[in-house]
Amino acid sequence: MNELANNALANSFAFNNAWLIPALPFFSFLLVGLFIRPYSEKLAGIVATLSVSTSAALSLWLAFDYFSAFPAGAEHPALVSWSFQWLRYNEYLVVNVGTLIDSLSILLMVVVTFVSSLVHLYSIGYMKGEDGYGRYFTYLNLFTFSMLGLVVAPNILQTYIFWELVGVSSFLLIGFYYTKPSAVAASKKAFIVTRFADLFFLVGILLIAVVGYNLMSLFGVPNGLPENVSAFDFAFITNSGVSTMMNNFGILTPALILIFIGAAGKSALFPLHIWLPDAMEGPTPVSALIHAATMVVAGVYLVARLFVTFAASESALLVAAYLGAFTCIFAAIIACTQNDIKRVLAYSTLSQIGYMMFALGVASATETLGYTASLFHLFTHAFFKALLFLGAGAVIHSVHTNNIWNMGGLAKKMPITNITFLIATLAISGVWPFAGFFSKDEIIAAAFGNHHYVIFAIGLLVAGITAFYMFRIYIVTFLGKARSEAVDHAHEAPMTMTIPLMILAALTAVVGFIHFGDYVSVASIITGDATGHAEGGFPIWIPALLSGLTGIGIAWFMYGGEKDRATAVTEKLGVIYRVICAKFYIDEIYQFITHKIIIRFISTPIAWFDKRIVDGGVDLTGWLTRRSGATLSHLQTGQTQTYAAWLINGVIAVVVIIWLYAS
C-alpha cells in the first residue's frame, strides 16, 4: 500500500515542487518591494495577491494528492519532498533547509495560504488610497512567506529562523502607521515580549540538540531513522525512544518547558499576552491574518509538531493544559467589558488559543482526541475568526470608528456584512451547524474523557461567556437604532471586501462536517490506532450547546431591548467591573515592574557600571596613552643641541653607574 502510494506521490507535481508554496510569496516580496512598488502601487497589490493565491492553489493540490495516496483513516507518514544541506557542524549536527510534508504541515499550508489570499484580496479595497499601499503588500507577502517557511520546516532550527522572521514581519505590519505613536509603541511591545520568550525557546533548542548529539554519539542512530538524521530534525526529536531516554536523564521536561515559553509568547498566553490587544493598531486585515492563520497559531503548531515528545513528559503537558485553560477564561472575562470592536475580537482570540492549547495539554500518548480536537479548532477558528475581523474591518471602513457604542443599526445599511458577521458569531458561540460547534465540543469532550474535570468545567463556562460577549458586540453594532451620525452615511463595502466575507461565511457553515480525525491525527504514530477518540460518557454537545445558548440569552436580555439593563449591572458590580475593564491592571503591573524595579535596581546599576567602569577603563587607557605620548614627545625635539645634551648626560650616567658598581 505505502509503496504504491509513494510511487503515486512521487509523480505529483505539487509534492515534488512543494517548495514553491513558500517560495512564491518570497519571490513576490522581492519583486513587489524592489521593482513594482516604486512605479505602480495598484499593480503591487495585484501581483502580491496572485502570488499567494497561486500558493493556495498549490496547497490544495498537494492536499488532494497526499490524501489520495494516503486515504482517510490510514497512517499519514512524514515525507521530505525537497531538501539541501545548509550547515554542517559534525556528523550528527546538520541543518538542512527543506519542506516537510505530512498531515499537520498540509493543514497549516492550506489554512495559511487560503486565509492569506483572501486577506490580500480584501486589502485591495480596504487599503485603497492609503499611504504606503505598496509597502503594505510587500510586508504582507513577507509575513505569509515567513509563516509558510515555519510550517514546512523539517527541523527545529529552520523553525526557529522562520519563527523570528514571523516576529519581524509582525513588527513591520503592526507598526505600519509609523507616524502614529501608539502604533510604534504597539509594534515595539510585540517585538520585545516575543523576543523575550524566544530566548527561552532558543535555549530549549540548544539543550535538545546537545543532548541529542550526545545520545547519538553514544548509542548511534535509533532504529527506524535514516543514517543521516540530525539532532535538529523533528524525525529524531519526536522519536519515542529518544524522548524516553531524554526523560530518563531528566532533560526532557526542562527543555520542553523552555520551548513552551517560546510558544506561549508567540501565541500570547498569559502572562505574555499583553502585546496582542495592542497589535490592533495595525491595519484590520493584518489583525485578521495574525489572529486567524499566522503568528498566534504558531505556538499551537509548535506544540502539536512536538506532541510525541511532549507526550513523554506529563509535567510539560500539564503546564500547557493549565496555562491554556487559565488564558481561556481570563481573556474571555476581559472581552465582556471592552468597547473597541477589534479589542473584543483580540481577547476572543486569546481565549480560543487557550482552548487549543489546553486541548493539547489534556491529550496523552494513549488518548489523543485532544490533539486532533485542538487542530480541528485551529482549522475552523481560522475561517470564522478571519471572517469576524474582516467583517469588523468593513464596519470600521464604513463608519470610521472602532467604538461599538458609536455604531448600531448597521444591519440595514450593510446587509452582506451583517449576515456574514452573524454566521461567524454563531460559529464561535458553538451553535449548530456552524464550524465552532463541532471543534469546540471535541475539545470539551477530550478534557472530560481524560478526566481533567476542572478544565472541562472551564471549557463549558467559557463557551457561555464567549457566546455572551460575541452577541453583545453583534447586537450593539448591527441591531437597534443608530448611535451616531456616522451610521447615517454607512454603506456596504466594495466587492473586493465582500467577496472574501461571503467565501469565509460559506466555509464557516460547512467545514465542521469534515471527518477531521480521519486526516489529522497523531494516534497512528503513537499507538497504531488511527482514531484516538476519548469517550466522554455522555453527549458533550448538550451541555456545551446549552452553555452557548445561555450566553446568547443573557446578551439579548441585557442589550437587545430598549431598557439599559447593562448599565445597571455594571453599577452593581462596581469595583469588580472596573478591574476587569482595566484588564486586571496587568499592563500597569508590567509598567511598575519594568520601570520601578528592573530599570531602577537592575538596568540603572548595570548602565552605571558599563559607563563608569567598562567605558571608564577604556577611557583611562586612552588617557594614559596620550599623556605618555605627550611626555615622551619632549625627547623628540629635532634640535642637535638637545640630542647632544642627552648623549653627554647619558655617557656621564653610564660612567657613574660603572664606577659605583666597581667600588
Side-chain angles (χ1 to χ4, degrees):
M1 169 83 180
N2 282 349
E3 184 178 354
L4 293 174
N6 280 319
N7 287 337
L9 202 59
N11 297 323
S12 166
F13 174 87
F15 177 78
N16 291 319
N17 296 278
W19 61 274
L20 284 171
I21 295 173
L24 284 172
F26 177 69
F27 292 149
S28 177
F29 158 71
L30 296 177
L31 182 64
V32 171
L34 297 177
F35 302 106
I36 297 177
R37 180 180 63 86
Y39 304 103
S40 175
E41 294 209 327
K42 183 178 180 180
L43 183 60
I46 295 173
V47 171
T49 304
L50 287 175
S51 69
V52 179
S53 300
T54 305
S55 290
L58 281 172
S59 297
L60 292 171
W61 186 355
L62 175 61
F64 178 81
D65 286 352
Y66 181 86
F67 290 115
S68 295
F70 306 102
E75 183 177 345
H76 298 122
L79 307 169
V80 177
S81 68
W82 170 82
S83 177
F84 75 91
Q85 188 178 110
W86 179 41
L87 297 173
R88 183 180 181 87
Y89 298 104
N90 54 50
E91 182 181 3
Y92 299 126
L93 287 177
V94 179
V95 182
N96 295 313
V97 175
T99 53
L100 176 65
I101 307 300
D102 64 356
S103 57
L104 179 57
S105 64
I106 288 174
L107 166 69
L108 267 294
M109 277 190 276
V110 169
V111 167
V112 172
T113 56
F114 193 80
V115 173
S116 181
S117 62
L118 293 178
V119 168
H120 275 72
L121 176 61
Y122 180 96
S123 298
I124 290 175
Y126 187 88
M127 298 297 291
K128 185 178 180 181
E130 289 273 7
D131 292 335
Y133 182 88
R135 174 169 56 89
Y136 168 84
F137 280 98
T138 304
Y139 293 164
L140 214 56
N141 272 173
L142 178 63
F143 199 12
T144 304
F145 159 70
S146 302
M147 187 64 190
L148 288 171
L150 186 158
V151 165
V152 301
N155 59 73
I156 199 167
L157 204 57
Q158 181 180 330
T159 298
Y160 183 77
I161 291 168
F162 282 96
W163 187 274
E164 295 303 312
L165 268 177
V166 167
V168 171
S169 306
S170 65
F171 170 79
L172 295 172
L173 285 166
I174 294 168
F176 176 77
Y177 299 115
Y178 59 86
T179 57
K180 190 177 176 184
S182 57
V184 174
S187 64
K188 291 192 294 185
K189 189 175 186 180
F191 192 79
I192 292 169
V193 172
T194 52
R195 291 298 74 68
F196 171 78
D198 292 350
L199 173 62
F200 294 91
F201 183 18
L202 179 60
V203 174
I205 291 173
L206 297 176
L207 188 58
I208 288 276
V210 168
V211 175
Y213 165 74
N214 288 324
L215 287 177
M216 280 199 283
S217 299
L218 292 172
F219 305 109
V221 176
N223 293 331
L225 295 180
E227 288 298 322
N228 62 347
V229 72
S230 168
F232 291 118
D233 290 348
F234 287 123
F236 175 79
I237 297 171
T238 58
N239 181 274
S240 57
V242 172
S243 300
T244 301
M245 292 183 69
M246 286 188 180
N247 202 23
N248 292 338
F249 286 121
I251 297 297
L252 189 64
T253 298
L256 289 179
I257 290 176
L258 288 169
I259 291 172
F260 179 76
I261 293 173
K266 196 70 78 182
S267 286
L269 296 181
F270 179 90
L272 300 174
H273 67 284
I274 56 170
W275 67 267
L276 190 59
D278 289 358
M280 298 302 97
E281 292 290 342
T284 302
V286 171
S287 303
L289 195 56
I290 289 175
H291 289 250
T294 60
M295 190 127 184
V296 293
V297 300
V300 177
Y301 169 79
L302 179 64
V303 176
R305 173 59 70 196
L306 295 172
F307 179 76
V308 177
T309 312
F310 272 88
S313 173
E314 183 179 355
S315 299
L317 278 180
L318 285 176
V319 169
Y322 283 101
L323 192 60
F326 181 81
T327 303
C328 187
I329 191 168
F330 173 81
I333 291 172
I334 294 176
C336 296
T337 64
Q338 301 301 298
N339 298 321
D340 184 316
I341 189 170
K342 287 175 65 176
R343 283 185 178 268
V344 175
L345 296 179
Y347 280 104
S348 170
T349 299
L350 288 173
S351 183
Q352 300 304 305
I353 293 294
Y355 263 117
M356 298 174 206
M357 197 63 81
F358 84 61
L360 290 170
V362 300
S364 66
T366 55
E367 297 288 356
T368 60
L369 176 61
Y371 172 90
T372 304
S374 173
L375 294 175
F376 190 21
H377 197 56
L378 185 155
F379 178 66
T380 61
H381 176 264
F383 300 119
F384 61 71
K385 183 50 63 72
L387 178 54
L388 286 168
F389 266 106
L390 297 184
V395 170
I396 295 168
H397 186 264
S398 181
V399 299
H400 307 291
T401 179
N402 290 27
N403 194 320
I404 59 174
W405 297 106
N406 292 331
M407 300 176 188
L410 288 172
K412 295 179 181 179
K413 299 278 188 177
M414 308 177 70
I416 296 176
T417 304
N418 169 56
I419 294 296
T420 54
F421 196 92
L422 177 60
I423 290 172
T425 303
L426 289 167
I428 197 173
S429 300
V431 176
W432 188 89
F434 301 103
F437 169 83
F438 300 94
S439 57
K440 192 177 290 186
D441 283 4
E442 288 288 280
I443 291 175
I444 296 172
F448 186 85
N450 288 355
H451 312 294
H452 290 273
Y453 298 119
V454 173
I455 294 177
F456 163 75
I458 291 173
L460 270 184
L461 177 60
V462 173
I465 298 174
T466 302
F468 168 77
Y469 67 69
M470 286 308 305
F471 267 87
R472 170 180 176 263
I473 64 172
Y474 174 75
I475 292 168
V476 174
T477 301
F478 289 96
L479 304 183
K481 297 179 180 179
R483 294 182 173 85
S484 70
E485 294 181 1
V487 178
D488 297 335
H489 306 288
H491 53 83
E492 190 58 87
M495 291 297 289
T496 52
M497 295 170 65
T498 55
I499 288 175
L501 296 181
M502 290 185 283
I503 293 172
L504 289 168
L507 289 169
T508 299
V510 300
V511 295
F513 292 97
I514 295 174
H515 290 234
F516 191 81
D518 291 338
Y519 300 98
V520 181
S521 173
V522 77
S524 59
I525 300 173
I526 300 179
T527 65
D529 172 15
T531 59
H533 286 298
E535 294 297 330
F538 66 93
I540 293 294
W541 68 268
I542 296 176
L545 182 59
L546 288 175
S547 178
L549 292 176
T550 301
I552 294 172
I554 294 173
W556 198 270
F557 174 78
M558 291 181 64
Y559 301 99
E562 294 294 330
K563 294 183 179 179
D564 189 9
R565 297 187 179 97
T567 301
V569 172
T570 56
E571 289 176 354
K572 287 183 179 179
L573 289 174
V575 67
I576 296 175
Y577 175 80
R578 290 193 292 273
V579 169
I580 297 173
C581 195
K583 300 163 286 188
F584 292 95
Y585 295 101
I586 299 296
D587 285 277
E588 287 76 7
I589 293 171
Y590 269 103
Q591 283 284 91
F592 176 80
I593 292 173
T594 53
H595 286 81
K596 301 297 183 181
I597 298 177
I598 295 177
I599 292 178
R600 185 176 180 182
F601 295 107
I602 299 176
S603 300
T604 301
I606 290 175
W608 181 90
F609 180 84
D610 181 66
K611 184 176 181 180
R612 301 295 181 183
I613 306 301
V614 178
D615 287 354
V618 174
D619 293 342
L620 178 62
T621 303
W623 181 85
L624 289 174
T625 302
R626 290 194 304 272
R627 294 302 302 170
S628 301
T631 301
L632 293 174
S633 67
H634 294 298
L635 300 178
Q636 299 290 335
T637 63
Q639 296 179 351
T640 305
Q641 301 95 312
T642 304
Y643 297 151
W646 278 107
L647 176 63
I648 294 170
N649 290 332
V651 170
I652 294 172
V654 170
V655 171
V656 170
I657 292 171
I658 293 174
W659 180 75
L660 291 174
Y661 180 77
S663 301

